[in-house]
Amino acid sequence: QTYNYREPESYNQLDLTYSRKFANDENKKWTATFQHDFWVNDETENMRFLENFPNEIEQSRLRTNTAEGSRDFLLQSDYTTGVGENGSFEIGLRAETRIIESDFIAEDFQNQAWQVYKGLDNALDYYERIGGAYAQFGQRFEKFNYLLGLRTEYTFVKVDLGNETDYTKEYTRLFPTANLSYQFTEATGVQLSYSRRIRRPRFWQLNPFAGLSDPNQVFVGNPDMDPAYTDRTEFNIIQTWEKLTLNPSFYYSNTNDYFGFYLDQQADGLVLEMPVNLEREQNYGFEVVANYRPNKMFSVNGEFNWFGYDQTGQFEAQNFDFNASAWNSRLSVQYRFLEDFSLQARGNYQSAYEDAISKRQAITYADFGLSKQLLEDKLTLTLNLRNAFDSRWSRSRTELPTFLQERNRAWNVRRWRLSATYQFEQGEGGRLRRARGSIR
């Protein structure tokens, strides 16, 4: 298989922030923010499949084209004021609009002409509007602090598939939060927190067409997907010594309508993979974060996370009930020398992970970096080496009644990057945002 892929893109981002403090109350502040992201790209694939033995024959030739664009708008207002000597009250409003247009076509070369391949010729328009309001109140005492909050969100989503079925969803949800903390001593503290969260499906999970890089298996989006809702409770302990900090935590979460993947083999042998909502996933585990800094030049940071999970759900005739456990860890070392130089090394390990239909082997990889500060720390030059030993491979095995699949993927091979970052002065309330979908 010969595969050519191109995705040139133009991305633009606009941020406007207005912030005001009040002279009669230093705890009173009002901030208004407007953000606008817009991008366009034209994605093309060209594939040629050859049989080399016993004779050299061109089996097929395919090509695809996807023209996509997105416009995101966000308007947000936040107001904070003090209440009494140690209290604070905050309210805010948020409005978001997102519009995505995607026009795609897939063709194969038959009888000396390009023809539409398996009916993959369609346009998709995605509209999303979100309105939210929140309020939270917190108070500080000598050793005890608390923060209580409530957010409400209204969401309207419409997926227009041209001549096919349209999908429209409209819902309003409440999201409470609570944080309680107690400081026994300057070195020892605990925190108990609860929150309800929403995870919306990404556009690639909704878009019914995602390319044809593998002729044996095709990923198709599911425009009828619903958001997933998670209730999470966490208990943290923070213990600090002169050179060492330990932060162990215990957590439990319950997610309804969690995202899973359904695989089905068609009569012609083609395997379809599609994201779906499944009934419930419960997670529980233990995590510890440690930081050791013997001097100003040297620091070590480590993380270890063990978690168990219990998944339930069924889609079509496929049962997804499963429970198991897994763990991952990370170790980072940083050494500063000659005042403005910094050397970093990081090792990562993810244990084997399995669900009802597949199992992924363990993954181990390492990254290295060297950076230098210039111009009073405003300019940073960084040289990174990612996946230094080319070991970041995802190796999985999927077993279903009609087929067995073994897949080896290298998401990112060994990669060098040299970058320069200049930090301009930011107005009060300014912040850096990630590009591409950063309004999220």
Side-chain angles (χ1 to χ4, degrees), residues 19 35 85 95 111 138 179 213 257 282 311 316 369 402 412 432 436:
S19 181
Q35 298 172 356
E85 293 184 2
N111 301 320
N179 291 279
S213 59
D257 293 328
Q282 298 181 81
Q311 302 168 337
E316 301 294 344
T402 59
N412 281 305
L432 292 176
R436 188 64 180 274

Side-chain angles (χ1 to χ4, degrees), residues 390-439:
D390 201 18
S391 59
R392 194 174 183 178
W393 282 78
S394 177
R395 296 178 169 87
S396 63
R397 178 185 177 95
T398 301
E399 293 187 44
L400 288 174
T402 59
F403 71 96
L404 167 67
Q405 179 188 79
E406 292 187 352
R407 177 180 293 179
N408 297 330
R409 286 182 175 179
W411 293 107
N412 281 305
V413 296
R414 183 186 296 111
R415 179 175 297 182
W416 293 89
R417 171 183 286 183
L418 177 63
S419 62
T421 304
Y422 186 85
Q423 182 68 47
F424 293 92
E425 294 292 337
Q426 294 192 80
E428 187 172 350
R431 59 189 177 94
L432 292 176
R433 299 195 293 119
R434 294 178 304 161
R436 188 64 180 274
S438 54
I439 281 179

Side-chain angles (χ1 to χ4, degrees), residues 77-95:
S77 177
D78 303 283
Y79 175 76
T80 305
T81 185
V83 178
E85 293 184 2
N86 299 310
S88 65
F89 178 68
E90 183 176 347
I91 58 174
L93 298 173
R94 183 182 179 98

